[in-house]
Amino acid sequence: MSTPDPELKKELDATLHTRRELGPEYEGELIDAFLEKVEQRLDNVVDKRMRRQLAEQQMVAARGAASGRAHQGSPVFSDGLGARLGLAVASLVLAIPLSAIAVVNAGMTGLFTCWAGIVAVNALQASRSWFTPARRDKNE
């Protein structure tokens, strides 16, 4: 990951200081609040990367259309490492609240079901590139 976020470090220090003052009875709420801030930070990073990737795809598509070599027929899907990494990061970010909801409502069975779904979505994305034929340029 990139360099540590100074704002997030300040938030952690403030959370730890508050925990020392209030005692362990508020620990759960403090941890939840801090994890929510971490989740927001991760969401912002993922959103920023996804917007950048979408803009790059649009530029490539626009350049291809301008030069007369646009893909005909199927839509453009990104099977690159960025798309898989983006889905993996988004899955892990969303896994935090989904796991908590699953455990509260269904216990360990809910947790296992939740993670089975997360693994299945990521496996499906990874297997998509295994079963699709390699694309060739139309000008060959």
Side-chain angles (χ1 to χ4, degrees), residues 2-131:
S2 62
T3 61
D5 184 6
E7 289 297 318
L8 208 51
K9 184 175 178 352
K10 287 180 187 176
E11 288 292 335
L12 178 59
D13 291 340
T15 301
L16 292 174
H17 180 72
T18 305
R19 194 261 182 212
R20 281 186 217 113
E21 287 182 4
L22 296 178
E25 56 271 0
Y26 292 102
E27 187 172 290
E29 290 83 3
L30 291 170
I31 290 172
D32 289 341
F34 178 73
L35 287 177
E36 197 170 306
K37 291 174 185 169
V38 170
E39 184 178 347
Q40 287 175 341
R41 169 78 168 119
L42 287 173
D43 285 342
N44 291 339
V45 169
V46 170
D47 287 344
K48 186 177 176 182
R49 287 182 183 167
M50 294 303 285
R51 281 192 304 267
R52 185 180 332 130
Q53 183 178 5
L54 180 61
E56 289 172 0
Q57 287 176 353
Q58 289 173 344
M59 285 178 51
V60 168
R63 286 180 184 156
S67 65
R69 289 182 287 151
H71 291 288
Q72 297 172 349
S74 65
V76 177
F77 292 108
S78 174
D79 289 332
L81 178 63
R84 290 190 301 257
L85 182 63
L87 178 66
V89 170
S91 296
L92 290 175
V93 168
L94 292 174
I96 296 168
L98 290 175
S99 296
I101 292 168
V103 167
V104 167
N105 290 320
M108 291 304 285
T109 304
L111 181 65
F112 290 132
T113 304
C114 173
W115 276 94
I118 292 168
V119 169
V121 167
N122 283 282
L124 182 65
Q125 168 66 18
S127 69
R128 194 178 90 183
S129 63
W130 298 338
F131 297 115

